[in-house]
Amino acid sequence: MLDGKILSANFVEQSQNLRRDKKIPCLAVILIGEDSASKVYVNNKIKIFKEAGFESKSFLISSDEAHEEKIIELIQTLNHDKQIDGILVQLPLPKGLNTEKILNSITLSKDVDGFLAHNLGSLATGEFKNAIACTPFGIMAMLFTYGIPLSGKNAVVVGRSNIVGKPMSLLLLSADATVTIAHSKTQNLKQLCQNADILIAAAGQPEFITSEYIKSGAVVIDVGIHRKSDGKLCGDVGFDVKNIAGALTPVPGGVGPMTIAMLMLNTALSAWNKNN
Ligand code: GUN
């Protein structure tokens, strides 16, 4: 088991050490709409920031009040606010809002999610100038820390979202893996996955990846988190995979804590750069 809970504590500590001149890094969190999973994620981020001694300011906007111009106006105010080091707009946004337009109104240096077109694009060119998307960044930190070799390995990323699949694929490519991106239209997904030395499961489907998809000894990273009808949490990967994988991230306690640790690191770096 690749323990994201223990590992993330190291990155939280490193983020705390980055603090200079007693300036406490501050993240603005914007939650739009009533998505219950998003509420849980946002509360968790705020809680963990508080525990680490970081500040956050939350802005809750109901679907009824969610007007594009108003949201962009709020973001522009936060862009100019010297107290704010990072701005996070929790995704997905309610239907009818233009996600790209809203995200791209965040100023580059405060894009701690790494979702802006420029920041995502800089992964493709290998510049790594600003923040790297937190979930893929956390997964790379985990793979490096556990000493998992990537060069020349077959990596299959299941999912092509801007949040996980695309940045994850670019990062694995920079680490010299041979990368395949699979998605809902991919044919022969099972055979593709069976060829993976590293499998990143970010399909958003509960327990979709079963042991038949896995090559013996493969490293399996489970990005999903779902609540089952019995109230228990599960990932995109079925429990039986642990018997065949060489390494696996648990749910909860795998990728989730790493994502938040990287958000903290990105916020601390943004504050550090601003004060230099
Ligand atoms: N929704 C799911 N994951 C994320 C994330 O890492 N950041 C934001 N802003 N929204 C998300």
Side-chain angles (χ1 to χ4, degrees):
M1 284 290 174
L2 304 175
D3 193 325
K5 206 157 182 205
I6 291 180
L7 196 55
S8 66
N10 292 331
F11 288 96
V12 168
E13 200 180 317
Q14 285 186 35
S15 309
Q16 290 167 319
N17 291 341
L18 265 174
R19 234 193 262 173
R20 62 154 59 208
D21 301 333
K22 294 192 180 150
K23 161 83 177 78
I24 299 174
C26 182
L27 174 70
V29 181
I30 304 175
L31 174 63
I32 307 164
E34 288 76 33
D35 186 273
S36 53
S38 289
K39 281 184 192 168
V40 174
Y41 296 146
V42 160
N43 287 338
N44 216 13
K45 286 170 187 174
I46 292 170
K47 178 173 153 261
I48 293 174
F49 266 57
K50 196 169 178 191
E51 281 168 7
F54 277 39
E55 267 181 35
S56 62
K57 285 193 176 150
S58 40
F59 299 85
L60 310 178
I61 303 171
S62 69
S63 299
D64 299 343
E65 292 168 13
H67 305 298
E68 211 157 276
E69 309 78 58
K70 278 268 175 72
I71 297 163
I72 291 174
E73 233 177 83
L74 168 64
I75 291 173
Q76 279 163 352
T77 306
L78 296 169
N79 282 342
H80 293 109
D81 187 336
K82 289 197 167 56
Q83 291 304 313
I84 302 291
D85 301 298
I87 303 170
L88 178 146
V89 178
Q90 186 66 25
L91 300 179
L93 295 181
K95 282 204 177 73
L97 292 174
N98 183 334
T99 302
E100 296 315 312
K101 194 170 164 199
I102 289 172
L103 289 181
N104 282 307
S105 68
I106 299 173
T107 194
L108 271 181
S109 60
K110 294 191 182 183
D111 172 33
V112 285
D113 255 330
F115 290 167
L116 262 65
H118 180 93
N119 286 335
L120 193 51
S122 79
L123 291 188
T125 59
E127 274 177 284
F128 304 109
K129 261 177 94 177
N130 290 303
I132 297 172
C134 303
T135 299
F137 192 17
I139 293 170
M140 289 307 278
M142 209 171 202
L143 294 172
F144 283 133
T145 315
Y146 273 101
I148 292 165
L150 299 174
S151 178
K153 300 292 178 189
N154 286 332
V156 174
V157 180
V158 185
R160 56 174 158 180
S161 69
N162 289 347
I163 298 179
V164 182
K166 284 180 201 161
M168 186 75 249
S169 309
L170 292 166
L171 288 170
L172 288 165
L173 193 58
S174 324
D176 299 326
T178 303
V179 183
T180 306
I181 309 175
H183 47 79
S184 54
K185 303 285 190 298
T186 297
Q187 294 178 1
N188 305 321
L189 179 65
K190 202 179 277 182
Q191 283 99 310
L192 251 183
C193 291
Q194 283 165 352
N195 197 30
D197 302 305
I198 322 272
L199 181 71
I200 313 285
Q205 306 260 5
E207 298 181 329
F208 170 67
I209 303 287
T210 57
S211 57
E212 298 144 53
Y213 285 67
I214 308 297
K215 176 159 107 176
S216 177
V219 175
V220 181
I221 307 292
D222 191 348
V223 178
I225 184 154
H226 314 276
R227 182 143 332 251
K228 293 201 279 192
S229 50
D230 64 4
K232 289 196 180 128
L233 291 174
C234 74
D236 281 7
V237 175
F239 196 65
D240 59 336
V241 167
K242 78 173 183 7
N243 300 322
I244 185 162
L248 173 66
T249 59
V251 176
V255 171
M258 291 302 291
T259 297
I260 300 183
M262 294 303 128
L263 178 64
M264 205 172 280
L265 186 57
N266 284 343
T267 308
L269 282 168
S270 171
W272 177 276
N273 288 334
K274 205 172 70 187
N275 294 320
N276 265 326

